[in-house]
Amino acid sequence: MSGILSYGAYVPLRRLGAGARSEKAVANWDEDSLTLAVAAATDCLAGIGRDKVDGLYFATTTPPYAEKLAATTAAWAIDLRRDILTADVTDSLRAGTAALKMALDTVKAGSGRSILVTASDLRMGSGNLDGGFGDGAAAFLVGDKDVIAEIEGSYSLSNELLDVWRAGGAKTVRSWEDRFVFEEGYLKVLPQAVKNFFEKYKLSVKDIDKLVLYGPDLRRHRQMVGELGFKPEQVQDAFFDKLGNTGTAFVPMLLVAALEDAKPGDRILVAAYGDGADILLLKVTDKIKNVSGKWGMKRSLASRMMLPGLADYQAYRAFASSDPEQFGGASASVIARERDEIYALHGVKCLTCGTVQYPPQRICTRCHTKDNFEPYSFADKKGKVFTFTLKYGGDIPGFARPMVDTMVDFEGGGRALFGMTDMVADKVTVGMDVEMSFRTLGAGGGIRNYFWRCMPPRSSWPGKETK
């Protein structure tokens, strides 16, 4: 039976508390929905060969391009094979569960042995909506052998309603009047979908061990739990006070959290909402005992760096929503020519002397052999800061100043120059450990510019708070 083979999640390090309804996760200024998805997918595929993935479905309501497949860029950054299925699933809060259902159907149909699904969002809301929005991503690998959770059933309900939406070209999500939104949409459609699902499979609330439930906010989430008749101990914590509503990624991230605490035999009911509802029933297998070493939700939520205040948050959001057509952009031909180097962070390893080097060379810097190399990935390599410089240039936005440029020495060899992110500038030292993270450098000429930065290991942040 098809199901989930592995899972992963990514919660940005930044948190905003002061001035918002509660603490929420905020993407750094150099993150967007695509980079968040790559981080979650990397967590999901830890210890799994990239060559085993036959497809990637990228779900989001905030894709970096309106016409350009983001899944292909993500696949390149994750270093997947080229002969795979890739698709973007967009325009609905249900895009995450829709992509998961598509992956299950793809595996059932025999079109792929294992499909990677990512769900990610970085939304901005109008008025009071924005205070409850958070950023994050989840990822699942779907297959039909050695699954940690089987899919026992599914049900979908379509509903046409303008309750929450974002018009084409608009930057912020809008919502209609509260009573109409909830009474004609969420509180009417989701209970009907759950009722229909239970009738279809002859199940009831008592057959469910954990409910993963969408909710626009804590009040409505609690109201829906009561409406459906579940006990509080049956319901997965929605993390409204730690994470916020992460849009398309919200239900998938809660499913990751539920799987982290699941035991063999547990039945998890997933209820997603948005222009209708998706219901999925999963049964956890004994393979869940073999899952280890992931960041998932627990470790991600425990790693946090507090933003000083709303001014920085608003500056991040202004940068994220800035006109991509402004100024000059990167060269499409250069990106195409060097896409392995830029997106996959491939260098080369000399087949004569074994020296690894970045960027790729034709002449080995050590033995001077010509054109005798094999590809070498630096994306998953740890490193140490060899030297660094702080930049205060007038072209650097105030929220990113000082910018830190580092020369990194990688484990196994290789030295290269990278910007540093998710750091405290006055705590950067020569010899400090770093790892690599896929980020955006901004946009210009209509082109989103992506590259890798180094950062202090996420494991160095758990439980810490800093301004």
Side-chain angles (χ1 to χ4, degrees):
M1 182 174 285
S2 58
I4 293 172
L5 299 171
S6 181
Y7 61 78
Y10 178 76
V11 180
L13 275 176
R14 299 295 199 281
R15 302 289 194 278
L16 179 66
R21 292 173 182 170
S22 58
E23 186 175 307
K24 67 175 188 174
V26 176
N28 203 351
W29 65 271
D30 58 357
E31 295 181 300
D32 65 10
S33 60
L34 176 58
T35 67
L36 300 179
V38 170
T42 302
D43 186 38
C44 178
L45 294 178
I48 299 174
R50 303 292 203 267
D51 61 332
K52 295 181 179 178
V53 180
D54 297 326
L56 170 61
Y57 297 156
F58 171 55
T60 184
T61 65
T62 52
Y65 290 98
E67 182 176 333
K68 162 80 179 75
L69 202 60
T72 57
T73 310
W76 224 274
I78 301 166
D79 209 10
L80 303 181
R81 298 191 335 260
R82 308 299 178 241
D83 59 333
I84 64 170
L85 300 164
T86 48
D88 290 354
V89 186
T90 66
D91 301 337
S92 170
L93 292 176
R94 281 194 291 141
T97 48
L100 188 56
K101 183 68 167 54
M102 287 171 56
L104 292 163
D105 290 344
T106 302
V107 171
K108 282 182 182 177
S111 301
R113 296 164 301 173
S114 57
I115 305 296
L116 180 63
V117 176
T118 67
S120 170
D121 248 340
L122 194 164
R123 298 189 302 161
M124 292 183 288
S126 58
N128 293 330
L129 278 178
D130 198 61
F133 285 1
D135 308 322
F140 303 96
L141 186 63
V142 174
D144 60 3
K145 292 182 180 177
D146 298 326
V147 299
I148 60 173
E150 301 172 346
I151 305 298
E152 289 196 323
S154 65
Y155 178 82
S156 292
L157 192 63
S158 177
N159 185 53
E160 168 52 33
L161 186 72
L162 275 167
D163 51 358
V164 178
W165 73 95
R166 180 166 59 90
K171 296 178 180 178
T172 57
V173 175
R174 299 171 64 99
S175 176
W176 202 249
E177 183 266 327
D178 269 8
R179 191 175 64 177
F180 170 81
V181 166
F182 296 119
E183 293 184 0
E184 294 301 317
Y186 179 68
L187 295 174
K188 179 181 288 185
V189 173
L190 202 51
Q192 185 63 52
V194 172
K195 178 176 180 290
N196 292 353
F197 177 86
F198 279 159
E199 289 178 354
K200 177 180 178 181
Y201 290 96
K202 302 187 187 315
L203 296 170
S204 66
V205 168
K206 63 181 175 53
D207 297 309
I208 306 302
D209 296 289
K210 187 70 74 177
L211 172 66
V212 172
L213 175 67
Y214 177 81
D217 52 44
L218 179 59
R219 175 190 167 194
R220 300 299 181 179
H221 190 269
R222 286 177 173 169
Q223 186 176 352
M224 181 60 74
V225 169
E227 181 82 15
L228 296 176
F230 283 85
K231 298 176 181 176
E233 58 269 26
Q234 287 178 285
V235 182
Q236 170 60 47
D237 185 350
F239 305 122
F240 283 110
D241 59 337
K242 300 175 182 175
L243 177 67
N245 184 336
T246 55
T248 296
F250 186 65
V251 165
M253 293 176 79
L254 300 190
L255 176 55
V256 169
L259 289 171
E260 287 177 330
D261 292 330
K263 58 184 184 300
D266 281 356
R267 275 179 162 170
I268 301 173
L269 187 73
V270 178
Y273 175 78
D275 305 298
D278 286 335
I279 310 296
L280 295 171
L281 180 64
L282 294 81
K283 186 172 183 179
V284 179
T285 75
D286 58 1
K287 300 294 182 184
I288 195 78
K289 297 177 181 176
N290 301 330
V291 177
S292 63
K294 296 189 178 301
W295 271 95
M297 289 296 292
K298 285 183 180 177
R299 295 177 70 192
S300 291
L301 286 171
S303 306
R304 49 210 289 267
M305 180 187 295
M306 298 303 294
L307 276 174
L310 276 175
D312 285 70
Y313 171 70
Q314 290 166 346
Y316 286 12
R317 287 300 192 251
F319 182 82
S321 63
S322 58
D323 182 7
E325 301 289 347
Q326 66 181 341
F327 312 126
S331 166
S333 55
V334 170
I335 292 175
R337 189 169 58 244
E338 300 176 354
R339 55 193 172 184
D340 286 341
E341 174 186 339
I342 295 171
Y343 292 150
L345 201 58
H346 277 186
V348 291
K349 181 177 182 179
C350 178
L351 294 175
T352 302
C353 69
T355 299
V356 296
Q357 41 217 291
Y358 184 91
Q361 310 289 323
R362 291 195 63 192
I363 307 295
C364 177
T365 56
R366 183 176 184 183
C367 70
H368 301 164
T369 299
K370 182 179 179 182
D371 294 334
N372 190 32
F373 298 98
E374 65 179 3
Y376 184 89
S377 175
F378 287 89
D380 59 349
K381 301 296 185 298
K382 305 292 184 183
K384 290 185 181 294
V385 173
F386 173 73
T387 187
F388 68 94
T389 184
L390 304 182
K391 297 165 62 177
Y392 292 86
D395 59 332
I396 300 173
F399 58 79
R401 200 178 300 161
M403 196 167 278
V404 180
D405 280 350
T406 59
M407 188 66 75
V408 176
D409 280 346
F410 287 94
E411 293 178 359
R415 174 181 291 176
L417 179 67
F418 296 96
M420 181 179 277
T421 189
D422 284 346
M423 46 67 193
V424 178
D426 59 9
K427 294 186 182 301
V428 177
T429 60
V430 171
M432 72 181 292
D433 294 328
V434 293
E435 59 189 24
M436 304 308 295
S437 181
F438 189 65
R439 300 295 173 115
T440 175
L441 305 183
I447 294 176
R448 302 289 298 184
N449 200 7
Y450 293 99
F451 192 50
W452 292 79
R453 295 178 184 271
C454 67
M455 58 180 282
R458 287 175 64 85
S459 57
S460 66
W461 281 105
K464 293 183 179 179
E465 294 183 24
T466 185
K467 292 184 178 179

